[in-house]
């Protein structure tokens, strides 16, 4: 079920933006999030909120903001299907030339939309990626004329290599990208991934990077990311399964990209390194559970062995991940347990 406010008139020469907000049980943060969006002074934007089966007051808060704001606002109420499909529902109802995602426990910095629109109007980039802050003290208004780096179509292979080799996931988030609506893949069926709780950003970004022709990066901090409130605040064993499902899709893209673009001959190696990085984290979790059967299954799995052979000469892994992989390969599971315990101690001291 969807509710909406009437559409406001949009200047045809302006860059129109739809802000997409997936919502699930975030009543403690949602008003701050929506205030940061609706207070943007840029006039040519609309908002789509998707209440993904919230059991708290989040859905009612969405309806309240839709009623009390004059600009075009749509609220979709649906059964819970997870963040991935909530984003897809928001994209399907977007009318802006560009879409931007704001997670419902985060915020936009004042001036964010105007800055994005200014960069788009100057460059026409299909994807504008911007910076973030985790510090509330940096919530000041950003400059409209923020510096940026434009990447032409001829430089697209740099972007493809980056998304295929980023073990840190630095290319993945959907919430720090403004994306031309033609590039989000409205025709792509993501329903087989219903319930995916990790790496959904990466999965969607593959389609975005595939369809985009030009990119633009700015270091301007346009987004406030609230630390410690999301699903990734603690490791869960299904993360490895989710990552592997998405990397399987990525390998199909990478195989095609290697054939289509010059200087893209090592994308599969990069993806193998990403899978090994995720395996290292999973191995630490298995070790702390003292699950020797699970560790042996991982160690001798065809997929792990294939990726180790494919990425044998890669150097992107962090030192602790390399140590974890060496311990896994050699069967020294006590070292994995020690690494995991040391990591927990470090986290507790922060």
């Amino acid at each position: 079920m969807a509710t909406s406010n009437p559409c406001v008139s949009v200047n045809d020469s302006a860059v129109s933006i739809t802000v997409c907000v997936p919502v699930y049980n975030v009543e403690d943060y949602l008003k701050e999030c929506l205030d940061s969006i609706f207070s943007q002074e840029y006039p040519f934007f609309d908002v789509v909120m998707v209440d993904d089966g919230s059991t708290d007051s989040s859905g009612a808060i969405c309806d309240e903001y839709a009623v009390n704001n004059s600009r075009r606002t749509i609220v979709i109420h649906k059964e819970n299907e997870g963040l991935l499909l909530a984003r897809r529902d928001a994209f399907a109802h977007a009318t802006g030339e560009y879409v931007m995602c704001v997670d419902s426990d985060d915020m936009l910095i004042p001036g964010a939309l105007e800055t994005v629109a200014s960069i788009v109007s100057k460059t026409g980039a299909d994807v504008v990626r911007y910076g973030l802050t985790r510090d509330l003290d940096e919530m000041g208004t950003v400059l409209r004329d923020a510096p940026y780096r434009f990447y032409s179509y001829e430089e697209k292979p740099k972007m493809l290599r980056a998304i295929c080799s980023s073990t840190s996931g630095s290319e993945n988030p959907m919430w720090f990208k403004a994306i031309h609506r033609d590039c989000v893949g409205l025709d792509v069926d993501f329903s087989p991934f219903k319930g995916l709780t990790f790496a959904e950003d990466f999965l969607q970004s593959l389609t975005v990077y595939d369809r985009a022709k030009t990119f633009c990066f700015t270091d301007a901090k346009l987004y406030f990311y609230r630390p410690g409130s999301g699903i990734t605040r603690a490791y869960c064993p299904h993360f490895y399964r989710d990552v592997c499902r998405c990397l399987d899709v990525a390998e199909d893209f990478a195989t095609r990209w290697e054939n289509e673009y010059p200087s893209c001959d090592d994308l599969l190696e990069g993806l193998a390194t990403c899978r090994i990085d995720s395996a290292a984290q999973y191995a630490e979790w298995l070790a702390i559970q003292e699950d020797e059967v699970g560790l042996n299954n991982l160690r001798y799995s065809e997929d792990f062995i294939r990726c180790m052979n494919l990425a044998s000469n890669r150097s992107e892994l962090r030192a602790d991940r390399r140590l974890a992989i060496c311990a896994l390969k050699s069967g020294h599971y006590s070292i994995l347990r020690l690494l995991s315990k040391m990591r927990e101690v470090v986290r507790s001291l922060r």
Side-chain angles (χ1 to χ4, degrees), residues 93-147:
H93 286 81
T95 59
E97 184 182 2
Y98 283 76
V99 296
M100 291 172 59
C101 293
V102 180
D103 285 355
S104 50
D105 53 351
D106 298 337
M107 289 183 278
L108 284 182
I109 305 296
L113 298 185
E114 186 176 9
T115 301
V116 167
S118 176
I119 292 174
V120 168
S121 66
K122 293 173 183 175
T123 66
D126 290 325
V127 177
V128 176
R129 205 186 82 181
Y130 37 86
L132 68 125
T133 181
R134 293 178 172 85
D135 187 352
L136 281 172
D137 292 335
E138 294 185 343
M139 285 288 290
T141 303
V142 296
L143 296 175
R144 183 176 186 273
D145 295 321

Side-chain angles (χ1 to χ4, degrees), residues 72-216:
R72 179 182 182 275
T73 305
I74 293 177
V75 181
I76 301 166
H77 298 281
K78 55 175 287 190
E79 294 183 0
N80 180 259
E81 292 185 301
L83 179 56
L84 170 63
L85 296 188
R87 285 202 209 278
R88 305 313 302 180
D89 286 334
F91 294 158
H93 286 81
T95 59
E97 184 182 2
Y98 283 76
V99 296
M100 291 172 59
C101 293
V102 180
D103 285 355
S104 50
D105 53 351
D106 298 337
M107 289 183 278
L108 284 182
I109 305 296
L113 298 185
E114 186 176 9
T115 301
V116 167
S118 176
I119 292 174
V120 168
S121 66
K122 293 173 183 175
T123 66
D126 290 325
V127 177
V128 176
R129 205 186 82 181
Y130 37 86
L132 68 125
T133 181
R134 293 178 172 85
D135 187 352
L136 281 172
D137 292 335
E138 294 185 343
M139 285 288 290
T141 303
V142 296
L143 296 175
R144 183 176 186 273
D145 295 321
Y148 56 83
R149 165 71 160 90
F150 177 74
Y151 292 85
S152 66
Y153 178 73
E154 288 72 25
E155 296 176 286
K156 180 174 176 175
K158 294 180 182 178
M159 305 298 103
L160 301 182
R161 288 199 301 274
I163 197 171
C164 288
S165 62
S166 175
T167 54
S168 66
S170 60
E171 300 293 323
N172 299 347
M174 293 292 284
W175 43 255
F176 69 6
K177 302 182 182 91
I179 305 164
H180 195 287
R181 191 155 50 94
D182 289 346
C183 298
V184 296
L186 295 176
D187 58 318
V188 179
D189 181 12
F190 284 89
S191 61
F193 293 90
K194 175 183 176 181
L196 188 78
T197 58
F198 193 68
E200 55 88 17
D201 292 89
F202 173 65
L203 182 66
Q204 294 177 89
S205 291
L206 291 168
T207 294
V208 172
Y209 277 50
D210 182 50
R211 299 189 178 190
K213 292 182 172 61
T214 54
F215 298 77
C216 196

Side-chain angles (χ1 to χ4, degrees), residues 1-4 47-51 59 62-63 65-66 73-77:
M1 180 180 69
T3 60
S4 66
V47 181
V48 178
M49 294 176 274
V50 180
D51 170 28
C62 290
D63 290 336
Y65 274 75
T73 305
I74 293 177
V75 181
I76 301 166
H77 298 281

Side-chain angles (χ1 to χ4, degrees), residues 242-278:
D242 288 352
V243 167
C244 287
R245 288 185 68 194
C246 295
L247 286 171
D248 288 343
V249 176
E251 288 187 6
D252 291 337
F253 276 102
T255 300
R256 177 162 54 80
W257 291 341
E258 287 188 350
N259 291 325
E260 288 183 6
Y261 297 95
S263 69
C264 279
D265 56 355
D266 58 350
L267 302 183
L268 290 171
E269 289 88 340
L271 292 172
T273 304
C274 292
R275 199 179 301 240
I276 291 169
D277 181 81
S278 186

Side-chain angles (χ1 to χ4, degrees), residues 274-288:
C274 292
R275 199 179 301 240
I276 291 169
D277 181 81
S278 186
Q281 298 173 67
Y282 182 44
E284 285 188 31
W285 184 86
L286 289 170
I288 207 70

